[in-house]
Structures are given as C-alpha cells and as structure tokens.
Amino acid sequence: MKRIFFMAMIANALIISGLTSCEKENLSPIPGGNTSPAVPTSTTTINLVAYHWVKDAYGIYTNTFGGVISPGNINNHKVKIYLVENGKETQINSFISFMGGELWATNTQTDVEINYRCSEQNLPFSHLVIKVVIE
C-alpha cells in the first residue's frame, strides 16, 4: 500500500511538472547591439521526491530517478540540482554537509542520482524534495 502511494505521488509530481515546467521569455535586443532577432530562452524545472534509497557496499545511499530528463533537453544546457528544505533551495551538484553527512547529486543525459554518505546505520530522514533546473 505504501509503495502504491509513493508511486502515485511521483506520477502526480511528474505530470504536474510536465504541465507547468516550460516557461519561455522573449529577450529584447541590447540598444546599439546586434540587430538580429532575439533568441527566446527556456528553462525546464522538474520537481522530485527522493524516498527510495539503496545502500551500496561503501555505505553510500543512492536514489536514482531514471529517465526524468529528456535527452534533447540537456544538449548545450546546464543542469542544476537543488535540495528544497523549509522553502530554501541549496544547490547539490557538488558535496554539501547535510544532517551529519554529505549530500550530492549527479546526472547523465537522462537520469538524476541523489547520493548521501553518513556514519549512521540508518538515514536521518525519510525523504528529500529535489528540484532539477535545466537552463
């Protein structure tokens, strides 16, 4: 029952983020600059909840979100991954200290991986809210 509930939560988050994630803004040319048409930019935001942790032989807990990034979305774009906690966003593309351990994220063309290393036998949290921004 718990697994079905969490799967439904992730499915809902993916649907909602897919419907609202793409925002486009028109850029105005700089006065005196190039007079060619402005190129619109877009940012994609993906909201995730990390709750399925797997511990490896080195004691690192990992939550993998497979296939959450469209392969066409990442070419020539920056991927920034944030921990969202108490309304505050902290970028975790590199190691940060978190709850007595280290938290960091990596990504491939299609996947996002959240990693946590600590000296505790169990995780000091049940889930983490993650925000992925592709610029």
Side-chain angles (χ1 to χ4, degrees):
M1 185 68 141
K2 191 175 185 181
R3 182 178 176 166
I4 293 171
F5 172 74
F6 284 118
M7 295 299 281
M9 276 182 41
I10 288 181
N12 285 336
L14 291 174
I15 290 168
I16 290 170
S17 68
L19 294 173
T20 61
S21 65
C22 189
E23 297 176 18
K24 295 184 179 181
E25 298 175 9
N26 289 327
L27 300 176
S28 301
I30 299 171
N34 188 346
T35 58
S36 63
V39 177
T41 61
S42 65
T43 300
T44 302
T45 302
I46 304 167
N47 297 302
L48 305 167
V49 178
Y51 69 89
H52 181 69
W53 298 93
V54 177
K55 187 176 181 181
D56 70 10
Y58 303 103
I60 298 173
Y61 291 90
T62 301
N63 188 115
T64 302
F65 298 100
V68 296
I69 300 174
S70 301
N73 252 357
I74 201 166
N75 295 337
N76 299 320
H77 294 280
K78 288 184 180 180
V79 176
K80 295 182 181 178
I81 305 170
Y82 298 91
L83 167 68
V84 180
E85 182 182 40
N86 299 324
K88 181 181 172 192
E89 296 177 359
T90 305
Q91 190 169 353
I92 58 172
N93 289 74
S94 57
F95 293 92
I96 65 163
S97 294
F98 181 71
M99 297 186 92
E102 294 179 310
L103 178 69
W104 71 97
T106 59
N107 69 280
T108 65
Q109 292 286 322
T110 58
D111 302 343
V112 172
E113 200 170 83
I114 310 301
N115 302 289
Y116 184 74
R117 177 179 26 226
C118 65
S119 59
E120 301 292 321
Q121 186 69 3
N122 296 313
L123 285 172
F125 50 83
S126 61
H127 68 279
L128 298 176
V129 177
I130 304 296
K131 179 178 176 181
V132 179
V133 179
I134 303 168
E135 299 177 331

